[in-house]
Amino acid sequence: MTDLEARIKGFANVAEDKIEFGLSEAMIAEDEIRRGKKTHEKLREGLQQVAKDIDTLVSKKNNMVGRDKERKGCLKNSEEALQMNSKSSPIVGMGGIGKTTLAKQVLHHPSIQSRFDVCAWATISKEYNVRDILLSLLQSIIKIDDNVYMELKQS
């Protein structure tokens, strides 16, 4: 089990315990007006803490473990491609092996970012819509309000 998997499992267990404890206290509260409010307040605080824990876990960088050699090689290939004025450096392989994570790490590396005025990211699947790809690129460059994004997508 990786460190991240262990942390996720531990987090899930703590979250489950907090929720179960809060619910059981709320159910056995004798005085719903006096004690129930305190119990519900504890449950609310516990759930808020769980939400903060989720945000902390989700906002951590998506780092690849044990793939330094591949990352360095891909970074080197990308830098060489840029020196030859090539604008692409393909990453190919089976699904689920970390190509997207690797590509994001290379794109966000200072030696790559410094060569461009603007860097944008878009995910393109087998079945794609050019308009959606362009909107995705635009949204990765400038932050578009969700309502504006939906209007642009529908128009």
Side-chain angles (χ1 to χ4, degrees):
M1 184 181 298
T2 67
D3 180 51
L4 178 61
E5 289 172 329
R7 287 179 35 218
I8 290 171
K9 185 176 180 180
F11 163 77
N13 289 335
V14 169
E16 182 180 17
D17 289 346
K18 284 182 181 181
I19 292 168
E20 284 179 1
F21 179 76
L23 290 174
S24 65
E25 280 208 358
M27 289 171 35
I28 60 172
E30 294 171 2
D31 183 2
E32 193 172 309
I33 294 171
R34 189 181 117 273
R35 190 164 182 236
K37 285 187 180 179
K38 288 181 185 176
T39 305
H40 286 98
E41 184 67 24
K42 284 182 186 178
L43 176 60
R44 186 179 63 77
E45 288 171 2
L47 291 174
Q48 285 176 337
Q49 185 59 48
V50 167
K52 286 179 185 175
D53 293 345
I54 290 172
D55 286 342
T56 301
L57 187 63
V58 170
S59 66
K60 291 204 182 269
K61 280 188 172 180
N62 189 1
N63 291 326
M64 293 180 71
V65 178
R67 297 289 185 191
D68 266 355
K69 180 180 174 185
E70 288 83 356
R71 184 184 55 78
K72 287 176 183 175
C74 190
L75 189 56
K76 182 181 177 207
N77 289 343
S78 296
E79 288 171 343
E80 288 172 358
L82 289 170
Q83 287 174 355
M84 295 186 302
N85 290 325
S86 174
K87 300 296 182 203
S88 66
S89 181
I91 301 172
V92 296
M94 293 175 19
I97 62 171
K99 296 182 300 294
T100 301
T101 301
L102 178 62
K104 284 183 180 180
Q105 286 183 349
V106 169
L107 174 69
H108 295 297
H109 194 275
S111 68
I112 301 298
Q113 293 253 324
S114 66
R115 295 177 178 262
F116 299 96
D117 294 326
V118 176
C119 290
W121 181 267
T123 301
I124 303 171
S125 59
K126 285 182 182 179
E127 294 181 24
Y128 62 91
N129 178 308
V130 174
R131 182 182 188 85
D132 289 344
I133 294 169
L134 292 173
L135 282 171
S136 173
L137 287 169
L138 182 62
Q139 191 169 34
S140 76
I141 297 168
I142 58 172
K143 297 302 172 203
I144 301 173
D145 180 78
D146 288 340
N147 294 332
V148 174
Y149 180 81
M150 290 309 293
E151 284 180 32
L152 289 171
K153 190 170 179 160
Q154 292 172 355
S155 61

